[in-house]
Amino acid sequence: RRGRVRRTSELCASAGQDDVLVMNFSFFEPWLPRLMELPTKTILYFHTITPARFLQVYDAEYAAHCIDGLAQLKYLDQFDALMANSTSSARVLEAVESEDESQRALEVAIGPPVVGPKAWHDVKAEPIDMPRQSTKLLYVGRIAPHKRIEDLFALFEQYHALDPNSALLLIGAASFEGYIGFLNYLLSSEYAPLADHIHFVESVSDGQLKTLYQSCSAFVTMSEHEGFCVPVVEAMTFDMPVFAFADQAIVETLGRSGRVFHSKEFETIAADLRSVITTAWKQQSIVAAQHERMKQIDQQSDGQAFWATLEKVVYGARAI
């Protein structure tokens, strides 16, 4: 709630030895050295950090902050417990530890960044302008370089050749002005014939997002770096077949479900997309596997991993 959000400086002034500080970490944190001096118990929850190579061309300062954030992992051994949102993110922490033989072996608890399935049944679907095309491919997430939106353009070009009555919807906030300029250039040049079929929507309500999940034909992502992909989980909740590039975290999120591609052969992916969308038994098979994966995610997101970590910290048993 707005009234309960306070400045970090207030935390530094009021935190005591009976408090537990849980730090969500995914970017350079200028307060981190000061926070490590507090008398509190501390838990690091690591969401991974985007590699700078994806961002350097579009925002050199942001890329530098990502590098600085990774450098701050030198503080790992000062935390009382470590958590990560996925095994993929935990490997980043383990790689830091392996470079420093003086550190103790790390124990990293894994817990998805969700607690319980979102109660979508309590969300009322709200109207949103939809393309007139019958087939709608949906992407939900940040519009950022590592998400490889340009690869979604390339995939959609191949898909649209098979199904001219189709559209691509991209839902999410634009994070990098230079990258948006690059995407706009592509839409005005190489992909100009498809520009009227590709739709960006920066912000939607939960109700509008529910309408999109209920109305679109498939979820697509060509992202090359994730920590844990919540939109993939949401798409599976709505029985949308998921088609994804095999980023480690997305593979982990999907488990043995969805359609995962280890190379970006867009013509092949488009053909598979078309086959699944137009073949009921193929779609049902994918959705059934996603149902089974969702049962596992529901169990993993029951909060027990966090509570077990918290108990270790509160009762004095260090987790590293």
Side-chain angles (χ1 to χ4, degrees), residues 99-112:
E99 293 174 1
D100 185 354
E101 296 180 357
S102 67
Q103 284 191 353
R104 290 166 291 172
L106 300 179
E107 179 184 331
V108 183
I110 310 297

Side-chain angles (χ1 to χ4, degrees), residues 172-282:
S175 304
F176 299 88
E177 185 176 345
Y179 185 57
I180 295 302
F182 170 61
L183 295 178
N184 286 333
Y185 166 76
L186 291 178
L187 287 176
S188 65
S189 54
E190 183 176 352
Y191 299 109
L194 298 174
D196 291 339
H197 297 260
I198 297 176
H199 306 269
F200 283 88
V201 182
E202 185 167 351
S203 178
V204 295
S205 67
D206 281 352
Q208 290 174 320
L209 185 57
K210 181 174 184 176
T211 298
L212 288 164
Y213 280 131
Q214 290 176 329
S215 304
C216 293
S217 309
F219 186 92
V220 291
T221 175
M222 291 289 110
S223 176
E224 294 185 6
H225 186 263
E226 298 287 342
F228 181 95
C229 195
V230 172
V232 162
V233 176
E234 292 177 340
M236 290 195 290
T237 300
F238 285 94
D239 293 343
M240 295 185 70
V242 175
F243 294 78
F245 180 66
D247 168 75
Q248 289 182 354
I250 290 182
V251 171
E252 183 179 346
T253 302
L254 283 169
R256 295 181 178 273
S257 71
R259 277 284 208 267
V260 174
F261 302 91
H262 293 269
S263 62
K264 294 189 177 182
E265 298 176 3
F266 298 118
E267 185 176 357
T268 300
I269 300 172
D272 190 48
L273 252 173
R274 180 62 175 161
S275 177
V276 170
I277 288 173
T278 59
T279 308
W281 71 264
K282 290 184 178 181

Side-chain angles (χ1 to χ4, degrees), residues 9-297:
S9 57
E10 295 181 48
L11 170 67
C12 292
S14 62
Q17 61 183 5
D18 293 330
D19 295 320
V20 177
L21 172 65
V22 180
M23 183 171 182
N24 288 280
F25 191 66
S26 61
F27 193 65
F28 173 68
E29 174 51 69
W31 281 95
L32 184 56
R34 178 68 183 91
L35 294 175
M36 290 294 92
E37 296 173 355
L38 296 177
T40 63
K41 296 290 198 303
T42 54
I43 299 173
L44 176 74
Y45 186 83
F46 186 58
H47 296 263
T48 201
I49 294 176
T50 305
R53 69 179 186 275
F54 290 110
L55 311 169
Q56 184 69 45
V57 172
Y58 303 103
D59 191 328
E61 182 178 4
Y62 192 100
H65 283 316
C66 290
I67 293 171
D68 293 340
L70 286 171
Q72 287 184 310
L73 295 180
K74 67 184 180 182
Y75 291 101
L76 283 184
D77 63 347
Q78 296 186 37
F79 285 89
D80 294 281
L82 304 174
M83 293 192 68
N85 60 356
S86 66
T87 301
S88 177
S89 295
R91 290 194 188 106
V92 177
L93 302 182
E94 292 163 358
V96 173
E97 185 270 339
S98 66
E99 293 174 1
D100 185 354
E101 296 180 357
S102 67
Q103 284 191 353
R104 290 166 291 172
L106 300 179
E107 179 184 331
V108 183
I110 310 297
V114 290
V115 179
K118 184 169 183 176
W120 282 104
H121 58 275
D122 293 333
V123 176
K124 182 179 180 180
E126 297 174 356
I128 184 173
D129 290 337
M130 300 282 283
R132 58 178 175 77
Q133 287 81 12
S134 59
T135 302
K136 302 174 185 66
L137 306 183
L138 179 67
Y139 164 84
V140 177
R142 284 198 298 153
I143 308 301
H146 58 290
K147 306 292 188 176
R148 294 301 194 201
I149 305 302
E150 63 270 33
D151 289 344
L152 289 176
F153 291 172
L155 172 59
F156 182 64
E157 180 182 46
Q158 294 297 325
Y159 184 85
H160 190 262
L162 301 173
D163 178 11
N165 192 22
S166 59
L168 173 64
L169 288 82
L170 303 146
I171 314 300
S175 304
F176 299 88
E177 185 176 345
Y179 185 57
I180 295 302
F182 170 61
L183 295 178
N184 286 333
Y185 166 76
L186 291 178
L187 287 176
S188 65
S189 54
E190 183 176 352
Y191 299 109
L194 298 174
D196 291 339
H197 297 260
I198 297 176
H199 306 269
F200 283 88
V201 182
E202 185 167 351
S203 178
V204 295
S205 67
D206 281 352
Q208 290 174 320
L209 185 57
K210 181 174 184 176
T211 298
L212 288 164
Y213 280 131
Q214 290 176 329
S215 304
C216 293
S217 309
F219 186 92
V220 291
T221 175
M222 291 289 110
S223 176
E224 294 185 6
H225 186 263
E226 298 287 342
F228 181 95
C229 195
V230 172
V232 162
V233 176
E234 292 177 340
M236 290 195 290
T237 300
F238 285 94
D239 293 343
M240 295 185 70
V242 175
F243 294 78
F245 180 66
D247 168 75
Q248 289 182 354
I250 290 182
V251 171
E252 183 179 346
T253 302
L254 283 169
R256 295 181 178 273
S257 71
R259 277 284 208 267
V260 174
F261 302 91
H262 293 269
S263 62
K264 294 189 177 182
E265 298 176 3
F266 298 118
E267 185 176 357
T268 300
I269 300 172
D272 190 48
L273 252 173
R274 180 62 175 161
S275 177
V276 170
I277 288 173
T278 59
T279 308
W281 71 264
K282 290 184 178 181
Q283 189 164 164
Q284 291 165 1
S285 177
I286 292 175
V287 168
Q290 292 177 179
H291 275 169
E292 293 304 308
R293 175 57 181 145
M294 280 302 301
K295 292 178 183 178
Q296 297 170 349
I297 291 174

